[in-house]
Amino acid sequence: MNLEEYFARTGYKGSTEKQDLETLTDIFQHHIRAVPFENLSIHCGEKITLELEHVYNKIVRKKRGGWCMENNQLLGWVLKGLGYDTSFLGAYVFNPHQNAYATLMTHLVVKVVIDGTAYIIDGGFGVSYQMWQPMELVSGKDQPQAPGVFRFTEINGVWYLEKMRRKQYIPNQSFSNSDLLEKKECRKVYMFSLEPRTVEDFRFQCTYLQTSPDSLFTKKSICTLQTTDGFRALIGWTLTETTYNYKENMDLVEFVTLEDEEVEKTLKEKFNITLERKLVPINVKGSYTI
């Protein structure tokens, strides 16, 4: 495992000498535009493990993506190797269909401290809730980014992340009522405390999320990648391409339904992913919005 090989994977060619916010942002943006958020292993007969060497081999050498415990663990390793003050936190993801936060801590995020100021970076959420820049850990402050306006709110030691989106233009009107579309303009994303966590704290969750019939990740095959002006997502057979701020305060959301034989080609062309095993796409309707 070495940083040069990781940077070759993400295409980052900038400085590695300075531990400042500008460098952190650049490294982070290269990661989210090169490494998909995806759970395809579950749907092609592979097991997701949390050993860092396995994560590194999967993402860096096999040019795959991963979910939060993989993406953010790898990012944490990279940043620590560069000299950043980093730690892991654990979050509880909001379920819009149940209108409640999960009772299981399933989301791993990274806290980075630069010159006494704390930031959250999260390269493992995907779709429109994927931040594009480190977020300052401050309560009640709107933090506008290309995907929309993010905000943390702290109440009694618990931090809540929410995101305000723009209006959406959907040319293919047959998808205008898709369950993949978020209807609310302001959406809760997750909540977390500042208690430091380790990867060991996520062992049970890692197994549960890829085996339980109640898990979102066993119900949907997901692959999503950020682009320079939006993101792409393949959920089951549904390919979406979103362009942020296509018109003033308007995001363009394009939908297309793929045939079985188009899925593999689309993964290669749109996400630069080549699977070693046969993918079985799945998209059970429910609690996942882009």
Side-chain angles (χ1 to χ4, degrees):
M1 288 172 32
N2 69 78
L3 292 172
E4 290 75 18
E5 191 178 24
Y6 166 81
F7 288 134
R9 165 75 174 95
T10 65
Y12 179 73
K13 296 181 173 69
S15 167
T16 56
E17 303 303 313
K18 296 180 287 188
Q19 288 79 50
D20 58 11
L21 181 59
E22 185 180 352
T23 303
L24 174 65
T25 302
D26 203 4
I27 289 170
F28 177 63
Q29 289 185 344
H30 276 80
H31 183 101
I32 62 175
R33 289 172 187 162
V35 182
F37 172 83
E38 52 107 334
N39 71 342
L40 302 179
S41 291
I42 298 170
H43 304 286
C44 64
E46 299 170 349
K47 185 179 179 185
I48 298 172
T49 68
L50 295 184
E51 277 63 43
L52 180 58
E53 292 81 3
H54 184 273
V55 172
Y56 179 94
N57 191 50
K58 178 183 176 182
I59 291 178
V60 176
R61 297 198 172 125
K62 294 186 176 180
K63 295 184 167 49
R64 287 283 303 279
W67 56 16
C68 66
M69 300 169 218
E70 298 169 290
N71 269 303
N72 287 334
Q73 184 186 176
L74 184 61
L75 269 169
W77 171 78
V78 169
L79 296 173
K80 197 174 283 282
L82 292 174
Y84 282 94
D85 176 358
T86 68
S87 56
F88 293 137
L89 304 177
Y92 299 78
V93 177
F94 185 77
N95 183 321
H97 284 246
Q98 296 174 355
N99 196 34
Y101 291 94
T103 54
L104 196 60
M105 182 184 72
T106 58
H107 192 61
L108 182 149
V109 301
V110 184
K111 186 179 87 166
V112 181
V113 180
I114 301 174
D115 296 331
T117 300
Y119 298 88
I120 298 297
I121 69 163
D122 181 359
F125 208 91
V127 292
S128 66
Y129 308 108
Q130 175 60 61
M131 61 181 69
W132 278 20
Q133 296 157 249
M135 284 187 62
E136 187 179 351
L137 189 61
V138 58
S139 180
K141 176 185 175 183
D142 285 355
Q143 301 191 46
Q145 298 188 10
V149 179
F150 293 92
R151 180 170 58 221
F152 287 129
T153 306
E154 184 265 336
I155 302 171
N156 297 326
V158 178
W159 290 79
Y160 299 86
L161 173 65
E162 59 185 5
K163 185 210 166 190
M164 284 68 75
R165 66 167 177 82
R166 301 179 191 91
K167 293 179 170 58
Q168 297 169 322
Y169 171 56
I170 300 129
N172 188 340
Q173 281 299 295
S174 63
F175 284 94
S176 59
N177 291 314
S178 168
D179 69 315
L180 290 173
L181 280 173
E182 178 56 52
K183 305 300 187 284
K184 293 182 178 177
E185 294 201 359
C186 182
R187 160 86 141 73
K188 297 170 182 172
V189 184
Y190 50 72
M191 67 177 188
F192 59 96
S193 77
L194 300 185
E195 179 183 346
R197 304 290 184 178
T198 68
V199 172
E200 291 302 317
D201 293 323
F202 292 86
R203 293 275 174 205
F204 169 79
Q205 297 89 314
C206 183
T207 301
Y208 171 83
L209 289 176
Q210 60 188 307
T211 56
S212 170
D214 296 326
S215 165
L216 162 72
F217 294 111
T218 60
K219 296 175 182 176
K220 290 181 185 288
S221 52
I222 298 167
C223 185
T224 167
L225 184 65
Q226 306 298 304
T227 63
T228 54
D229 61 2
F231 69 91
R232 301 178 183 130
L234 180 61
I235 318 294
W237 299 265
T238 304
L239 176 68
T240 70
E241 299 202 50
T242 294
T243 304
Y244 290 136
N245 232 2
Y246 161 76
K247 292 179 180 174
E248 190 175 349
N249 198 35
M250 181 82 69
D251 294 341
L252 173 67
V253 187
E254 299 176 282
F255 282 86
V256 62
T257 301
L258 303 181
E259 300 295 333
D260 273 332
E261 59 271 17
E262 296 175 298
V263 170
E264 198 173 293
K265 181 178 173 218
T266 300
L267 282 173
K268 177 63 181 168
E269 291 180 353
K270 298 285 189 182
F271 303 91
N272 198 30
I273 281 183
T274 302
L275 297 174
E276 295 174 348
R277 301 190 185 190
K278 177 71 176 168
L279 177 70
V280 181
I282 182 172
N283 185 12
V284 178
K285 284 196 173 188
S287 57
Y288 188 74
T289 56
I290 59 167

